Amino acid sequence: MKRQLKRKIDSYLMEWKNNPDRKPLIVKGARQVGKTHSVEWFAKHNYSSVIEINFVEQKKYRDIFNDGFEVDTILKNVSLLNPDFMFIPGETIFFFDELQACPNCATSLKFFKLDGRFDVICSGSLMGINYKEIEANSVGYKDDYEMYSMDFEEFLWANGYPSGFVEELYSHMHGLEPFSDLQMNVLLDLFRDYVIIGGMPEVVDTYIKNKNFSGTLAIQKQLLKDYEEDITKYVDGLDKAKVKAVYNHISTFLAKENKRFQITKIAKNARNRDYIGCVEWLADAGIINICYCMNQPELPLTGNYDPKLYKVYFKDTGLLIASLDEEAQEDLRANKNLGTYKGAIYENIVGDMLVKQGYRLFYYSSDKPSVEMDFFVRDADSLVPVEVKAKDGSTASLDRLIEDGKYQDVKYGIKLGYKNIGFNGRFYTFPYFLTFLLKRFLADHHKCDKSL
């Protein structure tokens, strides 16, 4: 098996294997983010016997749990279907792929854990599977890992940059040391490419092999169609046409000045109550990120937002780009001109990079006083506004949040844009490409403050 792209899950899987008390593992994520390939690579290189079963392609294996969940009973049924499989205690891993096609498999995880002879990894699409039900079936006897499309660090690896290069980037960020003009130009060019193609592994691999954008748009367009087909296949209990309508209007919402989700942009006289659950389904399926409007810019973040006011972003910015009109595509790929969608695209990519660090997304909008802030994150004891600037403009809202005494949880802010590293006493300025290191920076920033 040829390894295509290094992924962060690689080190996670090794840590999992080295844990003597490891539990069966469920790797979940949206379709085509690289789950199956990563697990196959890990299994092949760390076990003498790999029992790989795909419940979509090999439907007959869905019945191996019909006689009960004791491990020896499962082994007997598996060997009846394929006598060539070898079950070597301590050297065998079961890889159950496409878990969503056989939810009963989740119940067996408790018994594999108690038996202890074999390692188990399951993988499944977030579409078409009730993970709440699986959680109930195997609580306490499994671990979960959610996999995303490639982040910017993985994209740098794909372009040949070693892990030490990322540490060099962070040393600049942590030490507030500006980059040279050459460094800025090279890294910003790489980041623009990442914005355009996103992080879906097949798209990135095509870009790396061809050394240009050739072929990438066709793959992205097909992925968009595949997602739409999956909506038809897996949506249950909701109006499929309405879920599709929301999915097909994401770029429409983001093109508006406030970028907020509005039912009336989908259909004339459309009512919110008719679309209840549609946005949530797309989020649960791993297609979109939801960014909620905060009631007030104060801690805590959880519970301090209006569930009826939100923005919707694509999980993968490359798919947002591919969803734009045909006229925009040639100019975008030839000249990297993001046009009228520039603000939405940079909000989308920053939101995606924050989610991949474990953040939930929140924004704030108020008329009195006039305050607009793209995102909020936090360190251990303060709220941190994050402003995304497609152009180098004023930062009135950021200044107001920091300097106005009424926002006591806000002590400093972050401004992201096409600017070098800087700090003016109120907020830190970072180039976009450092966003993937923001959580690490905030944790170290808090430690430094406490040590003073």
Side-chain angles (χ1 to χ4, degrees):
M1 179 193 302
K2 182 181 177 182
R3 186 65 206 253
Q4 292 177 316
L5 299 165
K6 177 184 175 184
R7 303 298 304 275
K8 288 186 174 179
I9 193 176
D10 300 343
S11 58
Y12 176 87
L13 291 174
M14 286 307 304
E15 290 173 6
W16 173 80
K17 187 178 189 305
N18 292 330
N19 179 1
D21 193 36
R22 61 189 171 275
K23 302 174 183 178
L25 178 66
I26 295 180
V27 178
K28 54 190 178 182
R31 66 143 62 225
Q32 301 299 317
V33 296
K35 301 183 297 296
T36 298
H37 185 83
S38 294
V39 176
E40 285 178 339
W41 178 264
F42 163 76
K44 180 182 179 182
H45 289 82
N46 289 280
Y47 295 86
S48 58
S49 177
V50 178
I51 313 298
E52 181 173 356
I53 294 171
N54 185 306
F55 290 120
V56 168
E57 296 178 0
Q58 302 164 294
K59 295 181 180 179
K60 61 185 179 181
Y61 283 96
R62 297 179 190 178
D63 295 331
I64 62 176
F65 309 106
N66 287 356
D67 299 320
F69 296 100
E70 291 186 357
V71 172
D72 285 332
T73 301
I74 296 170
L75 298 183
K76 178 181 177 181
N77 287 338
V78 170
S79 62
L80 281 172
L81 294 172
N82 188 340
D84 292 332
F85 279 143
M86 297 179 62
F87 310 111
I88 309 169
E91 293 292 332
T92 298
I93 185 168
F94 282 81
F95 175 29
F96 296 119
D97 201 5
E98 302 291 2
L99 178 63
Q100 75 277 2
C102 185
N104 271 343
C105 179
T107 306
S108 72
L109 301 184
K110 173 181 178 179
F111 298 88
F112 273 105
K113 169 57 180 171
L114 294 175
D115 181 271
R117 288 176 291 167
F118 309 104
D119 288 347
V120 180
I121 296 180
C122 301
S123 176
S125 168
L126 286 168
M127 284 186 177
I129 187 164
N130 188 337
Y131 274 101
K132 292 179 181 178
E133 179 183 338
I134 285 179
E135 180 69 32
N137 288 347
S138 52
V139 62
Y141 296 96
K142 68 171 181 63
D143 288 321
D144 290 290
Y145 182 93
E146 185 166 356
M147 193 172 179
Y148 302 99
S149 64
M150 297 172 69
D151 68 8
F152 188 59
E153 182 171 6
E154 292 171 314
F155 182 75
L156 290 174
W157 295 343
N159 278 275
Y161 292 92
S163 298
F165 181 73
V166 173
E167 291 306 308
E168 182 182 343
L169 295 183
Y170 185 68
S171 69
H172 278 266
M173 189 179 194
H174 184 262
L176 300 179
E177 177 188 349
F179 294 103
S180 69
D181 290 343
L182 175 61
Q183 289 171 317
M184 282 290 289
N185 290 336
V186 170
L187 287 162
L188 287 173
D189 276 346
L190 278 167
F191 184 75
R192 289 188 190 98
D193 286 358
Y194 177 66
V195 169
I196 292 169
I197 67 170
M200 301 303 276
E202 185 181 2
V203 181
V204 174
D205 191 52
T206 300
Y207 159 85
I208 296 296
K209 288 177 178 175
N210 293 337
K211 295 181 171 56
N212 55 47
F213 297 123
S214 175
T216 58
L217 180 58
I219 298 171
Q220 291 169 322
K221 291 284 190 183
Q222 185 59 52
L223 283 169
L224 289 171
K225 291 178 182 177
D226 290 342
Y227 279 137
E228 189 165 349
E229 290 176 3
D230 283 344
I231 291 171
T232 300
K233 182 177 180 181
Y234 290 119
V235 167
D236 186 26
L238 295 170
D239 187 322
K240 296 179 180 181
K242 288 185 170 63
V243 178
K244 278 187 182 181
V246 173
Y247 170 73
N248 288 324
H249 281 80
I250 296 174
S251 58
T252 303
F253 304 136
L254 293 177
K256 304 304 177 183
E257 181 65 25
N258 65 12
K259 303 179 183 64
R260 187 161 57 85
F261 176 87
Q262 294 173 287
I263 287 293
T264 53
K265 297 296 186 293
I266 295 179
K268 188 177 181 180
N269 300 322
R271 298 171 298 184
N272 280 298
R273 67 172 180 262
D274 294 330
Y275 287 80
I276 291 174
C278 295
V279 172
E280 290 78 7
W281 190 92
L282 290 169
D284 290 343
I287 297 174
I288 63 171
N289 291 320
I290 303 176
C291 183
Y292 289 101
C293 184
M294 297 178 66
N295 295 319
Q296 293 294 332
E298 60 188 26
L299 295 173
L301 286 168
T302 303
N304 177 28
Y305 63 89
D306 188 337
K308 296 179 181 178
L309 297 178
Y310 51 86
K311 300 177 185 179
V312 173
Y313 299 109
F314 268 99
K315 277 275 190 186
D316 186 84
T317 304
L319 297 184
L320 167 62
I321 295 285
S323 74
L324 302 182
D325 56 83
E326 295 289 344
E327 291 76 16
Q329 295 295 339
E330 183 177 352
D331 187 34
L332 191 146
R333 282 169 164 73
N335 305 312
K336 300 180 185 177
N337 176 22
L338 304 181
T340 58
Y341 282 93
K342 182 181 294 184
I345 289 169
Y346 283 114
E347 278 190 34
N348 200 104
I349 192 72
V350 169
D352 175 54
M353 295 171 90
L354 293 177
V355 167
K356 286 172 177 173
Q357 293 172 76
Y359 287 114
R360 293 181 65 187
L361 300 183
F362 301 95
Y363 75 100
Y364 183 68
S365 178
S366 172
D367 293 330
K368 297 179 181 180
S370 179
V371 177
E372 299 280 343
M373 189 49 52
D374 301 308
F375 298 105
F376 284 88
V377 294
R378 62 168 301 169
D379 61 22
D381 57 13
S382 62
L383 185 67
V384 184
V386 178
E387 186 170 37
V388 179
K389 300 297 290 188
K391 297 179 180 179
D392 186 25
S394 62
T395 56
S397 290
L398 192 56
D399 286 335
R400 184 171 290 119
L401 284 166
I402 297 167
E403 296 173 354
D404 193 326
K406 68 179 290 187
Y407 307 113
Q408 296 183 6
D409 290 331
V410 179
K411 300 178 176 63
Y412 63 96
I414 304 288
K415 179 181 176 181
L416 302 171
Y418 282 111
K419 300 286 286 184
N420 214 323
I421 295 172
F423 180 59
N424 62 5
R426 303 185 310 280
F427 57 82
Y428 297 89
T429 300
F430 294 121
Y432 282 121
F433 57 78
L434 290 181
T435 305
F436 77 98
L437 293 167
L438 191 57
K439 192 167 191 176
R440 179 178 173 185
F441 173 82
L442 293 178
D444 287 345
H445 173 272
H446 179 73
K447 291 176 186 176
C448 290
D449 278 356
K450 291 296 183 183
S451 65
L452 295 177

